[in-house]
Amino acid sequence: MSAPELGFAPRNAGVRGGSRPGPAPPHVTRSGLVSPPLEEAAATSAPLRVEPALRPLMGSQGRSGSPGNRGPRESEGGEARVARGKRGRRKGKAGTGHGGRGSGAEGKPGLQPARKTAGPGAEAGPGQEGEEGAGVEEGPRSSGKRDEGSAGPGKEEERRLGAERREDGSRERARERGCQAWGRIPGTRTAMAAAGDEEAAAAAAEPSGRPAAGPALWRLPEELLLLICSYLDMRALGRLAQVCRWLRRFTSCDLLWRRIARASLNSGFTRLGTDLMASIPVKDRVKVSQNWKLGRCREGILLKWRCSQMPWMQLEDASLYISQANFILAYQFRPDGASLNRRPFRIFAGHDEDVCHFVLANSHIISAGGDGKIGVHKLHSTFTVKYSAHEQEVNCVDCKGGIIVSGSRDRTAKVWPLASGRLGQCLHTIQTEDRVWSIAISPLLSSFVTGTACCGHFSPLRIWDLNSGQLITHLGSDFPPGAGVLDVMYESPSTLLSCGYDTYVRYWDLRTSARKCVMEWEEPHDSTLYCLQTDGNHLLATGSSYYGVVRLWDRRQRACLNAFPLTSTPLSSPVYCLRLTTRHLYAALSYNLHILDFENP
């Protein structure tokens, strides 16, 4: 039987460059478009090679391989299949083939023939077109039933091939997303999903506890980890806190920062290690201490008064007590500590002249006035007692352990009891032979020190027995005449600080020598030092007589750290009193009360 009788197109119809094939008869099956009849194949010079049908792999466009060739193997990438699909589309645009839909003028792709099959049993089933989509298009469909050879086992084969094509397409999409290497490993998807779940669980558990995974350092006992981290400095601890949230909480422990805080300025720790500000985290105090060291602060004025005065002040909890003329006013700090409520909540009066000095002790205010009297005021009541103590103005007063000591311009120092039934009864009167400018009681309540004007031929610093009133010793032997001591304070039972007219701050240690100070710091501008204040450890603050200069000193160094002039030339004023906390410094001048905020510079 000849080829025309079987309904096939001539052999040269499908060859590139031959005559354009005409449309296939309606009764021709799809396999007839792919495989020529056996007789025509035998008539050709090359023998026909019969091969079993292979599973075609669809490219990214869902098309099969080029006509007359075997489809690409599974190991070939999607790029080869895409390129071959493009060549098929170009051939279809040239004109209509056996399976092309419409004419070439419509510009739709023509047929890309499938591979050679062994016989009618390998013909495409009814669902092949839906599986291949636009990859392989067939010609005009036959209105009649397909051959029996295309049904039965061929239909199951096409379903299997369609499922495999869908699986190959999903695999190719995974490769295009960068998962080509993982796609070749069995069970990788399960492992990746498990790893993702584990990471999500670890991220969810991180804020509440220690990370389950990570370096071996994290899995150490906390006591050992604390010991290791205790050797880190401030910068290393700060960087370690940036690793994760758990380490940020761990490195905020006060135990890690205590050693650093004791070496910092004004961190709330004394030389003996006593924590004076236990309510504030140590890490936060160390941060603020860097501002003290570098001099970063914000200046402000808390109070102003119209006439020139010589104010004195004290701090207690969230209250500020400051003297103005013959009154003592109590103000409440606002929560930030950098501002005051404008109205005082208590006013203490009783002196006829200005209040020169006062202290807070045992819920009392003990004040010394220019009228030569001492006033005793209850902090939380209206109880006030005033009695005559000296013949001239009382320049200084101190109170500890129920004992009051006072120093006056009349060249005497006196000891008084604080007991309510014995107020006004003098225990001892000490002849100092010089005007007394400053006084302080030892923490052991066994002695007290007086600072005088140094107008005689003896030391301005002398220590007296509190019980008997006898002279114990005098400090220093090289004071020039007129080097009066304006402020003196005990730092411990055996150490004390003094400053005055000779422009020096001196540090005395009674355990070493009473004749020579341990260390001294000189005011660089040769100004009188009216007052001093210390944090009990390394920081020292002084107030000068000109331009309201406040200086900060690191007691481990000789030179001044920072200087803050608080007044200008027209309003030049001494700094009469200084008080400081771990965050703020307060300075009382002739016309106003200044604040240096080191927490929010």
Side-chain angles (χ1 to χ4, degrees), residues 112 154 178 239 251 277 338 476 482 513 579:
Q112 295 186 13
R239 290 179 177 177
T251 53
M277 309 291 294
S513 174
R579 290 294 179 265

Side-chain angles (χ1 to χ4, degrees), residues 231-447:
Y231 291 94
L232 301 179
D233 59 2
M234 179 177 57
R235 185 180 298 272
L237 282 176
R239 290 179 177 177
L240 188 61
Q242 298 175 356
V243 175
C244 65
R245 282 171 285 186
W246 183 83
L247 279 178
R248 183 173 68 248
R249 288 192 300 270
F250 180 80
T251 53
S252 298
C253 178
D254 286 352
L255 293 176
L256 293 178
W257 293 91
R258 189 178 297 270
R259 175 184 58 85
I260 301 174
R262 292 186 62 178
S264 303
L265 296 178
N266 196 22
S267 59
F269 287 89
T270 64
R271 286 180 176 268
L272 301 178
T274 305
D275 191 357
L276 303 177
M277 309 291 294
S279 60
I280 304 176
V282 181
K283 182 179 178 180
D284 297 341
R285 286 183 270 167
V286 172
K287 291 180 181 179
V288 178
S289 70
Q290 299 304 303
N291 296 334
W292 287 87
K293 180 180 179 180
L294 301 175
R296 294 193 297 248
C297 66
R298 178 169 53 88
E299 299 183 14
I301 296 178
L302 293 181
L303 296 172
K304 291 183 179 181
W305 39 88
R306 295 181 179 179
C307 58
S308 178
Q309 301 180 15
M310 297 178 64
W312 194 260
M313 63 178 171
Q314 297 288 349
L315 299 177
E316 185 181 68
D317 298 332
S319 301
L320 170 70
Y321 297 86
I322 188 168
S323 64
Q324 297 182 21
N326 58 336
F327 298 99
I328 299 176
L329 286 73
Y331 291 91
Q332 190 75 25
F333 279 110
R334 291 174 181 169
D336 58 357
S339 57
L340 293 172
N341 293 329
R342 291 301 178 185
R343 289 184 174 273
F345 66 90
R346 289 294 305 276
I347 297 177
F348 303 93
H351 289 280
D352 298 329
E353 296 185 20
D354 291 354
V355 175
C356 300
H357 199 281
F358 70 92
V359 293
L360 303 178
N362 300 332
S363 301
H364 291 82
I365 295 180
I366 294 89
S367 60
D371 53 2
K373 297 179 180 180
I374 293 178
V376 179
H377 316 271
K378 273 278 191 180
L379 282 178
H380 306 293
S381 69
T382 58
F383 172 80
T384 298
V385 173
K386 181 180 65 173
Y387 56 89
S388 296
H390 294 270
E391 297 178 359
Q392 297 184 25
E393 63 185 47
V394 185
N395 295 321
C396 52
V397 67
D398 196 10
C399 178
K400 283 186 177 70
I403 298 295
I404 301 172
V405 293
S406 60
S408 172
R409 194 182 181 90
D410 62 1
R411 302 185 179 187
T412 61
K414 294 187 178 184
V415 181
W416 313 83
L418 185 59
S420 58
R422 302 178 61 188
L423 284 176
Q425 299 179 10
C426 181
L427 299 178
H428 303 289
T429 299
I430 301 168
Q431 298 296 328
T432 62
E433 300 178 5
D434 206 347
R435 291 169 292 177
V436 181
W437 296 121
S438 58
I439 200 166
I441 301 176
S442 170
L444 296 179
L445 305 179
S446 59
S447 61

Side-chain angles (χ1 to χ4, degrees), residues 301-305 311 322 566-567 571 587-594:
I301 296 178
L302 293 181
L303 296 172
K304 291 183 179 181
W305 39 88
I322 188 168
L566 303 180
T567 61
L571 298 176
L589 280 70
S590 298
Y591 294 95
N592 44 41
L593 174 65
H594 286 259

Side-chain angles (χ1 to χ4, degrees), residues 14-212:
V15 180
R16 185 177 298 180
S19 60
R20 182 171 300 178
H27 63 276
V28 177
T29 62
R30 194 169 177 182
S31 60
L33 296 176
V34 178
S35 301
L38 296 178
E39 290 80 0
E40 183 177 350
T44 58
S45 59
L48 177 65
R49 183 179 180 182
V50 180
E51 296 178 353
L54 296 177
R55 176 169 60 92
L57 287 178
M58 305 303 296
S60 59
Q61 301 295 330
R63 299 183 182 274
S64 61
S66 59
N69 298 325
R70 297 174 60 184
R73 294 188 177 92
E74 293 181 7
S75 61
E76 296 182 40
E79 292 81 359
R81 287 188 289 274
V82 171
R84 291 171 184 172
K86 290 180 179 179
R87 288 198 298 269
R89 286 197 298 270
R90 285 196 298 268
K91 289 180 64 179
K93 290 179 182 179
T96 57
H98 284 285
R101 293 189 182 182
S103 61
E106 296 178 1
K108 294 186 179 181
L111 171 66
Q112 295 186 13
R115 295 183 303 273
K116 298 180 181 180
T117 56
E123 294 176 358
Q128 185 173 359
E129 180 182 356
E131 299 293 341
E132 294 177 355
V136 179
E137 299 178 359
E138 47 180 87
R141 296 187 179 181
S142 173
S143 59
K145 294 183 179 181
R146 297 181 181 270
D147 296 337
E148 293 182 0
S150 62
K155 190 177 294 185
E156 295 178 0
E157 180 70 14
E158 288 299 324
R159 292 196 198 98
R160 182 180 64 82
L161 293 177
E164 290 176 355
R165 292 190 188 101
R166 286 193 298 271
E167 183 179 356
D168 293 341
S170 62
R171 186 176 301 171
E172 289 297 326
R173 287 191 296 272
R175 288 186 185 130
E176 292 174 1
R177 289 193 300 266
C179 301
Q180 183 176 4
W182 293 97
R184 299 191 183 102
I185 303 176
T188 305
R189 293 183 180 179
T190 305
M192 292 176 64
D197 296 339
E198 183 178 354
E199 291 178 0
E206 184 182 3
S208 59
R210 185 185 299 202

Side-chain angles (χ1 to χ4, degrees), residues 398-403 405 439-450 462-466 472 488-496 510:
D398 196 10
C399 178
K400 283 186 177 70
I403 298 295
V405 293
I439 200 166
I441 301 176
S442 170
L444 296 179
L445 305 179
S446 59
S447 61
F448 66 95
V449 61
T450 58
R462 285 179 285 179
I463 299 177
W464 311 83
D465 186 84
L466 191 60
I472 297 177
V488 62
M489 62 178 297
Y490 271 96
E491 194 174 34
S492 70
S494 57
T495 59
L496 57 113
L510 304 180

